[in-house]
Amino acid sequence: MPTPASRHARGLYIAGRWCDGEAGGRIAVTDPSTGTVLAHVPDATVADAAAAVEAAAAAAPTWAATPPRRRSEILRRCFELMVERADALAALISLENGKALRDARGEVAYAAEFFRWNAEEAVRIPGDFALAPAGANRIIVDYQPIGIAVLITPWNFPAAMATRKIAPALAAGCTVVLKPASETPLTAYALADLYAEAGVPPGVVNVITTSTPGPVTAAMLADPRVRKLSFTGSTGVGRLLLAEAAKNVISCSMELGGNAPVIVFDDADLDVAVDGTMLAKMRNAGEACTAANRIFVQAGVHDAFVRRLTERMTALKVGPGIDPLTECGPMITAAAVSKIHRLVEDARQRGGRIHCGGTPTAGSGHFYPPTVITDVPTTAAMAREEIFGPVAPIYRFESEDEVVAEANNTEYGLAAYIFTRDIGRGLRVSGRIEAGMIGLNRGLVSDPAAPFGGVKQSGLGREGGHHGILEFLEPKYIAAAF
Ligand code: NAP
């Protein structure tokens, strides 16, 4: 009997058809809660990638010429179908990624919103018409689809990271090849079925999975018809891809790693600060680029904050993602658990004090318990690296200047969170923190209607808001005399 998950492992999705890879290889997809194999998906080669680009190229002229209103209606239908199938999609995400069902439901709602938002953006593509300052001609600026886009996504949000790229690309009139992460490809394939049902023509969205992402991506980027690379993943892989894309001078959008500070001032509403920190830390069990990675608490409320956060972390129910009572699911792989534990051990050896958790859970799944650790020196590895797990390190601080300097002491600049009742100070500190996104008295910043992205080595470009579609459009300027 096929499991429900294996229904989404019918092949590579190229030109609207399911096909085996030319070499016939397979990639196993496992459930991180149990280690059980859920399905096998095809392992695409360079030749398969070329076929996917060919399909995207064949579909491109017709899709670019499709009236924006029609593109909009198809995107709106994608939104509606995702909402109708939210439960089934959430269960699939939970199975292959391990995240708690409630997080998976949140992800489906977030992912679907990118279709609704971009259905509205598709019919609002900008343009300019102005008299040149010298008065000799008109300046006309027309926004055209940038061309074929290669989209590469990580495992931590298998639906949302894909729709955050596919929806604006299609709204702009581009065709795409999506390469999802090998750990979580089933959601991407399930969504491919949904796009077809919503009326997305064959070849407009192609999906391929591969165990050799380096050569497969390089081959796609070497094709001169590919004009866009939109990547979400680690900063290390982002750097490699920027170098690869440089060979053909391809436009790049990069959503990379983070090292988000949370700053809790003495005057914060502690209920709001603890709730916000729990959300910023524990959404997706800490496996988020926006996750609170360093929690700075001012001396006056430090001990009370530690006590309350420890109570909340200890009370979390850890278990298989698919169990509706679970609040903290497993990590994605055994390697992820080892990395988290290495960071905790390093902090402990440097004087860190563990208040709860701190030891990997024995058993078949990849579990790590919610952990609170204080007295961590800022020289510890976890102050510089992404923890990407349910570990909350708390650092004590005295002054605003000190905490701003420390918060900015990182190569990353994605998200930051500030808790204070003094809104003047909140806005002042927001201005001083080097990050693309700030949560002010709020532990969640993601919103399809807002520009998501980072500064410094957290990335280039923005997804969402009015900025998202612009990443897939190229302005064409016409100097018109008449
Ligand atoms: P990753 O290892 O960088 O992988 C991301 C994607 O890149 C996967 O599809 C992966 O394929 C592919 N890939 C790996 N090596 C490649 C290569 N040489 N050439 C082309 N593609 C390659 O990241 P991850 O572990 O999946 O995700 C976690 C990271 O993503 C964290 O750093 C997190 O902060 C970041 N992230 C950022 C955002 C954001 O919006 N800024 C959002 C979510 C996650 P395989 O799966 O086959 O290896």
Side-chain angles (χ1 to χ4, degrees):
M1 277 286 284
T3 66
S6 66
R7 271 192 228 130
H8 305 293
R10 278 180 285 145
L12 305 171
Y13 187 70
I14 299 176
R17 287 188 295 277
W18 296 100
C19 49
D20 279 336
E22 56 117 31
R26 287 279 181 278
I27 304 169
V29 184
T30 56
D31 174 353
S33 299
T34 59
T36 314
V37 174
L38 296 167
H40 290 86
V41 294
D43 189 357
T45 61
V46 163
D48 296 317
V53 172
E54 197 56 50
T62 307
W63 184 246
T66 300
R69 176 64 71 203
R70 178 72 194 129
R71 295 205 296 262
S72 166
E73 281 162 354
I74 291 172
L75 293 173
R76 173 78 197 193
R77 188 70 192 129
C78 289
F79 162 71
E80 289 163 357
L81 287 176
M82 274 194 87
V83 171
E84 275 170 29
R85 291 178 200 167
D87 285 348
L89 285 168
L92 183 61
I93 292 171
S94 184
L95 266 181
E96 68 172 347
N97 168 282
K99 69 175 69 179
L101 255 184
R102 66 176 193 172
D103 283 335
R105 288 198 185 102
E107 179 182 347
V108 174
Y110 176 54
E113 281 299 333
F114 284 101
F115 284 116
R116 176 151 68 170
W117 176 260
N118 283 287
E120 292 154 0
E121 291 294 280
V123 288
R124 311 260 186 280
I125 292 174
D128 300 312
F129 185 93
L131 182 61
N137 61 283
R138 296 297 197 282
I139 294 172
I140 301 172
V141 184
D142 185 22
Y143 286 80
Q144 301 187 324
I146 196 166
I148 295 169
V150 169
L151 315 176
I152 303 179
T153 51
W155 48 263
N156 65 338
F157 290 93
M161 295 304 96
T163 63
R164 203 164 79 174
K165 299 182 187 306
I166 290 172
L170 268 53
C174 295
T175 59
V176 307
V177 179
L178 170 70
K179 193 216 82 60
S182 324
E183 287 93 349
T184 56
L186 301 175
T187 305
Y189 284 132
L191 288 173
D193 267 334
L194 183 148
Y195 307 145
E197 214 178 309
V200 174
V204 171
V205 178
N206 305 278
V207 185
I208 60 169
T209 36
T210 179
S211 65
T212 51
V216 161
T217 306
M220 291 194 281
L221 298 182
D223 187 315
R225 295 170 298 182
V226 170
R227 296 311 313 150
K228 181 78 197 180
L229 169 63
S230 179
F231 171 75
T232 299
S234 60
T235 296
V237 173
R239 283 192 199 104
L240 292 177
L241 288 174
L242 281 167
E244 199 62 49
K247 293 178 185 163
N248 271 2
V249 194
I250 290 171
S251 163
C252 290
S253 300
M254 294 273 149
E255 297 287 350
L256 308 177
N259 183 2
V262 172
I263 301 173
V264 180
F265 285 103
D266 279 345
D267 68 351
D269 178 328
L270 224 48
D271 291 334
V272 172
V274 171
D275 281 353
T277 305
M278 285 299 292
L279 188 56
K281 178 72 255 180
M282 293 306 295
R283 187 168 70 112
N284 244 25
E287 292 179 318
C289 53
T290 50
N293 211 57
R294 296 167 297 155
I295 302 167
F296 298 101
V297 184
Q298 205 162 13
V301 289
H302 177 273
D303 293 353
F305 183 92
V306 170
R307 196 178 57 250
R308 290 175 63 169
L309 196 78
T310 305
E311 280 168 14
R312 293 281 295 273
M313 291 285 273
T314 310
L316 287 175
K317 183 170 180 336
V318 180
I322 203 73
D323 177 342
L325 297 178
T326 291
E327 294 169 300
C328 175
M331 303 296 96
I332 188 73
T333 55
V337 172
S338 303
K339 181 206 159 178
I340 293 164
H341 196 52
R342 167 177 66 76
L343 293 175
V344 169
E345 276 306 297
D346 170 76
R348 198 196 315 247
Q349 278 161 24
R350 291 168 189 264
R353 219 154 56 84
I354 308 276
H355 294 256
C356 62
T359 311
T361 316
S364 54
H366 312 310
F367 291 96
Y368 202 88
T371 298
V372 174
I373 178 163
T374 58
D375 302 285
V376 183
T378 50
T379 48
M382 67 168 59
R384 292 187 307 278
E385 293 180 37
E386 279 187 294
I387 302 169
F388 239 61
V391 176
I394 301 178
Y395 306 82
R396 185 191 297 263
F397 75 92
E398 302 286 342
S399 74
E400 183 179 313
D401 284 348
E402 173 199 351
V403 78
V404 167
E406 208 43 71
N408 288 338
N409 185 17
T410 167
E411 67 188 17
Y412 296 107
L414 191 61
Y417 307 89
I418 300 165
F419 294 92
T420 174
R421 282 196 177 93
D422 177 346
I423 206 72
R425 165 153 66 183
L427 291 174
R428 181 174 69 241
V429 175
S430 296
R432 296 178 71 191
I433 296 292
E434 296 162 357
M437 300 173 287
I438 308 276
L440 182 51
N441 293 321
R442 206 177 140 72
L444 181 71
V445 291
S446 306
D447 187 330
F452 188 107
V455 299
K456 292 159 76 175
Q457 296 193 38
S458 285
L460 299 168
R462 295 292 181 271
E463 293 186 324
H466 299 303
H467 303 69
I469 193 170
L470 294 177
E471 304 275 329
F472 293 95
L473 290 167
E474 197 77 274
K476 175 173 282 177
Y477 153 55
I478 303 163
F482 48 85

